[in-house]
Amino acid sequence: MPRIAYFGPSGTFTEMALADLEVAAVFDGPVERIAAPSQGAALDLIRSGAVDGAVVPIESSVEGSIPATLDSLAVGPRLQIIAETELDVRFTILARPGTSLDAVRTLAAYPVAAAQVREWVARIMPEARPYVSASNAAAAEDVAAGRADAAVSTALAGARLELATLAAGVADHEDAVTRFVLVTKPRPAPAPTGADRTSIVLELSNEPGSLMRAFAEFATRSIDLTRIESRPTRTGFGTYRFYLDCVGHIEDTAVSEALKALHRTCHVRFLGSWPASAPTGTPPPDDEPHAEWLTRLRAGVADL
Amino acid sequence: MPRIAYFGPSGTFTEMALADLEVAAVFDGPVERIAAPSQGAALDLIRSGAVDGAVVPIESSVEGSIPATLDSLAVGPRLQIIAETELDVRFTILARPGTSLDAVRTLAAYPVAAAQVREWVARIMPEARPYVSASNAAAAEDVAAGRADAAVSTALAGARLELATLAAGVADHEDAVTRFVLVTKPRPAPAPTGADRTSIVLELSNEPGSLMRAFAEFATRSIDLTRIESRPTRTGFGTYRFYLDCVGHIEDTAVSEALKALHRTCHVRFLGSWPASAPTGTPPPDDEPHAEWLTRLRAGVADL
Amino acid sequence: MPRIAYFGPSGTFTEMALADLEVAAVFDGPVERIAAPSQGAALDLIRSGAVDGAVVPIESSVEGSIPATLDSLAVGPRLQIIAETELDVRFTILARPGTSLDAVRTLAAYPVAAAQVREWVARIMPEARPYVSASNAAAAEDVAAGRADAAVSTALAGARLELATLAAGVADHEDAVTRFVLVTKPRPAPAPTGADRTSIVLELSNEPGSLMRAFAEFATRSIDLTRIESRPTRTGFGTYRFYLDCVGHIEDTAVSEALKALHRTCHVRFLGSWPASAPTGTPPPDDEPHAEWLTRLRAGVADL
Amino acid sequence: MPRIAYFGPSGTFTEMALADLEVAAVFDGPVERIAAPSQGAALDLIRSGAVDGAVVPIESSVEGSIPATLDSLAVGPRLQIIAETELDVRFTILARPGTSLDAVRTLAAYPVAAAQVREWVARIMPEARPYVSASNAAAAEDVAAGRADAAVSTALAGARLELATLAAGVADHEDAVTRFVLVTKPRPAPAPTGADRTSIVLELSNEPGSLMRAFAEFATRSIDLTRIESRPTRTGFGTYRFYLDCVGHIEDTAVSEALKALHRTCHVRFLGSWPASAPTGTPPPDDEPHAEWLTRLRAGVADL
């Protein structure tokens, strides 16, 4: 039975994402779920060989990329993303039975969750002071243990700990969605489906124009970039890592040519090609007719 | 006496930055310091007319841009940056007198600070659970009030509250520097100095190549981009705001031509041109000889 | 009375173009016409001060640029184009009275004319051997003097020399048009009309990408290039002069910015901005709203 | 024995080029030489199957591309260049025995040759009127037949017709070189040598930026363009064919990727890849290490 780590404890959205991926038959049969205390810890369990894969959140439509996940993917032995799933992220506000909304003085939340309900909290419980929890599930545990009055958490966690629901479906942004990915050791990418996502990390030298040249490798090949995020490399102001997602698969000629071209001039880390959970953007142009034309040219065919 | 808000309370690095800017004579004489509970609140005090300016942190060499500052500058009535200063960011670990390092069970920290001492904390006090505070100064207050055992804070805050110093000069990255900016209502930019920084926010349509075209406006004019950060616009995956800094001043021809060109095709918010606290990158090329050549051409001078 | 040289002798299309320009009131009143034996000679008469201007053919829709004109404009003291006119180019085949088409053994023609009736001649008088004449008018003189049996020439020349017309309206390409320009010493360009042409000569260093960078100065500014011709510089294989026409006027901001940018990296010779005889292509984008935005930014206006 | 047409008659530089190619063992053994009256006629003999190949001049370092050759290669059934040779072009001035330089009243010349001795003729025999001949060899025949007093021709032609030499080694430009190519029906290109030339014809749509995009396909791949010439397509002002030579071979990955990319957006005619007679420019970058990296990525190799 494959062992799959997830950013836990039990009850997090990440565990829900893992369940979704199980249902989607990404694995061959059931898996053993191993809770890890952070995204980095989950990924390191792959590197150490303790697990066969890990599920971690990678991007929120509200907050952008999840820094801890990106940083952990960008350094250390290379890992590879092989699948994704997206969850509508709405929170349940939990409290010990008998606690009313007005009585909440401290509100436990995982910071990423706190950021997604900031406006709701400011409106509904403006007096509540924040208590930082290590995950959405941990926030519920903090309430159960009396360390906070209420928690920004999930229904699953509430049920598990027999907490009361003060509010459900809470989210500042109606269409908040979080993307979760399944990560493994490097392996051949899943077969192209025609609606794939490819993800890379670029480290660019700081000379003027280097970024434009890198983007030109995608633009001249009509490859659609769907995520572009930069983070400092922590070696001083002005040097960045770029986290790029594009539509397409490493087996698509346009994508593989772009990767080769980038590899000529900068450090490229390939994070994987996998089926997109929802179609986004425009697939790269079909190379086949042009490759055929080239083959005929090389063969010396007169009539093109 | 000008009223200047800062991201407080008293004792934050931001107040230290404000003091630096006072010493640097950015203001005409002394200022009245108004503590604000967040970066956004400090900036809103300018918009409401309650203060004449505000000092906020904008970028850390370790963590990158400060999201709360950027988001607050990017939306709402336009504000303008007119000066900057940089501080080496090293923290002091404070506790109530008599507390030893081993006895620390909860560690209060402002999240940005927590991120900058994460490795140190994991090494020295791995058992301490995090307690989120609203600022570096608030972390010290949380310790003084008994809400946490120790605080990631500043010497200034420790002295003010008569706390003990458990460790000083704490920083995961030796060269961690934070940049703070002085913001006001829109006004003519300070005169060019030859070592200036210009900052803009771009909102790009999501068509392929639009980003490359935007960067091309800088690259073809040999303008050196020194900060490139993207943040989702919170309207769904795939749309971004880009926060760009370049070397140069809005009064430099290359910069003003690039701004006009960007304005033709995308939404541009100008955040200001001001003297850089430390020279970075390459100034834009001197336009003067080429402008003179053009003038002679237009005048019909034969001998060029 | 201004003295205007033309590529003669009397009876050439160029003289007809000069007459058109007179009618179009390019000059203040009548001009004295001075025939010159070649395009280069006509232009050198301006440089020596012997004439005030010269009319020369510059481009044929069939044959492309007229090399002798381009070469003479590209080297030596700079001259400037201030007006243009276009003529439908159809030839009259002239012979001495009594000569029939079948009896033509030698056909006199100016080489540019010969190229434009090549197919007609191959079809109608395949046996006629070519006799090279120095101009279209000279071809008629060669027939009048008995040096050739027939001439590819103009009706005007036939009338002047009392020759018979063997065929009229002869042209391989129905829509053959030749553009003629009026050249003077450098002077301020005629005022912009909104439908102008600007012409330059670029000498590019032979490094990879230099041509693309030069074209990018036009493309990024949405300036429409309507003529792109290259000629070797005669200093070995692989170095070229580029003759470029664009839509727009040196007083248009987009055009003047592109000229300045080109001047930074390569040798640019400005050949003039003048009203186009027929509207072609797309005028450069209007700079005014963007310049106004920039002015407001610089003034520190809050509400943009 | 292969039948090879050349732009004749016997005695032209083109026949000398054909002899050079024979010596260079481009053919398997001796060839039968077939003189053709023009470049187009020589190439059409290939198309009709009357010959196996043809040698034609394609480019002069002084005059640029030979229009008649380019036009004939650009339209009609596709042909392919498989070899090249370069000749120093210096002319011999021939006359009938007893004729002195002062006595020359008419000077027979093929127009391309006339253009290359224009300055010399203007200096040495300014009174001689031009007589157009159909080739360099034909000019000698015109003198032998009494149709002109002297000829711009070759020593070979002079010897064949027993004419006297008035001047030898005549050329306005000391380093004048003409390149000749061997053309056949389409066939697989000769094997890459590391110093190859590839030639194509592009027909570009007239939208702004299309040319820049085409050049970008070469520039982003670091492919060195060594010839860039444009000629109108004869369908009105403003539409052009571009004749491009680059360093490299259709079997080089960078070149084949550029060809495919161009084929996606414009009409491309491949004229061949063949060994360059003299090394020019910089070969395209080696794709192999990057292709290997890609292969390892696709195979899921962890340690790159």
Side-chain angles (χ1 to χ4, degrees), chain A residues 102-185:
Chain A
D102 330 341
V104 175
R105 291 292 165 271
T106 50
L107 179 65
Y110 177 57
V112 171
Q116 298 186 42
V117 299
R118 195 182 293 143
E119 294 167 19
W120 185 91
V121 169
R123 205 170 58 242
I124 304 297
M125 41 177 86
E127 301 302 318
R129 54 163 286 120
Y131 180 93
V132 76
S133 300
S135 70
N136 292 320
E141 289 169 359
D142 286 334
V143 168
R147 286 186 290 265
D149 298 334
V152 178
S153 186
T154 66
L156 183 65
R160 199 164 56 83
L161 297 169
E162 301 184 358
L163 295 173
T165 296
L166 295 186
V170 174
D172 288 349
H173 297 269
E174 281 302 302
D175 51 359
V177 169
T178 296
R179 179 177 297 138
F180 298 83
V181 290
L182 172 60
V183 181
T184 66
K185 283 199 177 172

Side-chain angles (χ1 to χ4, degrees), chain D residues 29-285:
Chain D
V31 304
E32 182 182 350
R33 300 179 185 177
I34 316 288
S38 69
Q39 290 97 322
L43 296 175
D44 282 341
L45 287 174
I46 309 173
R47 290 183 173 114
S48 70
V51 298
D52 301 299
V55 177
V56 288
I58 193 162
E59 187 182 13
S60 148
S61 64
V62 174
E63 287 298 298
S65 294
I66 314 291
T69 300
L70 291 186
D71 289 354
S72 187
L73 286 169
V75 297
R78 189 169 69 90
L79 297 175
Q80 196 167 327
I81 301 170
I82 62 165
E84 72 177 29
T85 191
E86 289 176 8
L87 292 184
D88 276 353
V89 170
R90 303 185 153 276
F91 296 89
T92 302
I93 308 299
L94 303 172
R96 288 179 298 279
T99 309
S100 71
L101 266 176
D102 329 343
V104 175
R105 291 291 164 271
T106 51
L107 178 65
Y110 176 58
V112 172
Q116 297 187 42
V117 298
R118 195 183 291 143
E119 294 166 20
W120 185 90
V121 168
R123 204 169 58 239
I124 304 296
M125 42 175 85
E127 301 302 318
R129 55 163 284 120
Y131 179 93
V132 75
S133 300
S135 70
N136 291 321
E141 289 169 358
D142 286 334
V143 167
R147 287 187 290 267
D149 298 334
V152 178
S153 187
T154 66
L156 182 66
R160 198 164 55 84
L161 297 169
E162 300 186 357
L163 295 173
T165 295
L166 294 185
V170 173
D172 287 351
H173 297 268
E174 282 299 303
D175 52 358
V177 169
T178 296
R179 179 177 297 140
F180 298 83
V181 289
L182 172 61
V183 181
T184 67
K185 283 198 177 171
R187 61 166 67 182
T193 64
D196 304 292
R197 189 187 310 282
T198 290
S199 188
I200 63 172
V201 186
L202 287 188
E203 265 174 49
L204 290 174
S205 70
N206 201 21
E207 46 178 296
S210 65
L211 181 66
M212 199 195 72
R213 275 196 298 279
F215 283 118
E217 302 292 357
F218 293 98
T220 61
R221 292 176 177 89
S222 300
I223 298 173
D224 197 357
L225 289 172
T226 52
R227 185 162 65 107
I228 301 160
E229 303 224 11
S230 57
R231 300 255 305 150
T233 52
R234 307 192 166 195
T235 59
F237 284 130
T239 64
Y240 297 90
R241 273 198 204 97
F242 283 84
Y243 297 85
L244 305 180
D245 283 3
C246 69
V247 182
H249 193 283
I250 193 175
E251 298 296 338
D252 292 337
T253 302
V255 174
S256 67
E257 290 184 358
L259 289 176
K260 280 193 305 175
L262 291 165
H263 189 247
R264 276 218 308 273
T265 57
C266 56
H267 184 82
V268 186
R269 175 178 281 228
F270 174 67
L271 294 184
S273 292
W274 65 91
S277 56
T280 337
T282 310

Side-chain angles (χ1 to χ4, degrees), chain A residues 262-285:
Chain A
L262 290 165
H263 189 247
R264 276 218 308 273
T265 57
C266 55
H267 185 81
V268 187
R269 175 179 281 228
F270 174 66
L271 294 184
S273 291
W274 66 92
S277 56
T280 337
T282 311

Side-chain angles (χ1 to χ4, degrees), chain A residues 63 129 131 228 230 234, chain B residues 63 129 131 228 230 234:
Chain A
E63 286 299 298
R129 54 163 286 120
Y131 180 93
I228 300 161
S230 57
R234 308 193 165 195
Chain B
E63 287 299 297
R129 52 164 287 119
Y131 180 92
I228 301 160
S230 57
R234 308 191 167 196

